[in-house]
Amino acid sequence: MNLNRINENPNREGLVNNFIQSAGDSLSSFRYFEKRDISIINEHHHTVLLYSGQEIIGYGHLDPCDLGKVWLGICLKSGHTGKGLGKIIMKNLTEYADSSGHDQINLSVDISNVGGKKLYEQFGFKVYNKTESMYFMKRRRNV
């Protein structure tokens, strides 16, 4: 497995678009790009792609949002979940956030995504709000 930061890659939009086109059923719980243009990645603090050989199998980002919040998002290509690969992306994103001085990271996860919630809890995320279908979680910086 190889994890690459793509913020400076001139073809970053094309790479992420290729991942989205091939992600399959995983997009049913990763809806970040449903209402956002791919160009949003140009505003990310940190964007990574996880490769297996030449195949992109994972994506992650730290997205600055309104009110100074930073939102974390990850997605693994369908068929690649439950193998510990999310930990690789999460470790990279949380370490980057900590070293960059982000005091808090936020995320949302579907209540039905039990594995995702468990992964986030392993990295110190705690539920701070819940709706009928979604958990909202946050993590404070490790100092």
Side-chain angles (χ1 to χ4, degrees):
M1 298 301 142
N2 188 22
L3 189 69
N4 292 322
R5 183 171 193 238
I6 62 165
N7 290 63
E8 307 305 320
N9 187 318
N11 189 32
R12 62 188 167 273
E13 289 181 23
L15 291 169
V16 172
N17 193 52
N18 287 345
F19 170 74
I20 293 167
Q21 297 303 315
S22 68
D25 293 340
S26 294
L27 296 180
S28 65
S29 62
F30 183 75
R31 296 175 292 277
Y32 180 77
F33 290 107
E34 281 183 2
K35 296 181 181 178
R36 292 173 183 86
D37 185 77
I38 195 77
S39 64
I40 191 73
I41 67 170
N42 296 311
E43 298 175 24
H44 289 172
H45 288 298
H46 190 62
T47 308
V48 295
L49 294 174
L50 181 65
Y51 288 82
S52 176
Q54 297 296 314
E55 180 186 13
I56 302 170
I57 60 170
Y59 163 89
H61 71 244
L62 294 172
D63 180 15
C65 203
D66 59 340
L67 305 174
K69 288 185 177 182
V70 175
W71 289 84
L72 180 148
I74 71 168
C75 182
L76 289 169
K77 188 175 179 178
S78 187
H80 292 277
T81 59
K83 300 176 182 178
L85 301 174
K87 289 180 184 178
I88 296 169
I89 298 171
M90 288 297 296
K91 184 176 188 294
N92 180 276
L93 294 175
T94 56
E95 286 178 354
Y96 181 89
D98 288 348
S99 68
S100 298
H102 296 295
D103 291 328
Q104 180 175 296
I105 313 169
N106 301 274
L107 62 81
S108 61
V109 60
D110 292 349
I111 288 177
S112 62
N113 188 349
V114 176
K117 182 177 180 275
K118 190 175 191 178
L119 172 67
Y120 302 139
E121 289 170 338
Q122 291 174 12
F123 283 86
F125 284 84
K126 299 188 183 322
V127 174
Y128 69 88
N129 197 4
K130 179 182 171 185
T131 66
E132 188 175 300
S133 62
M134 184 97 39
Y135 290 114
F136 292 90
M137 303 177 79
K138 64 184 171 184
R139 173 190 180 271
R140 302 261 181 219
R141 178 168 48 124
N142 291 333
V143 289

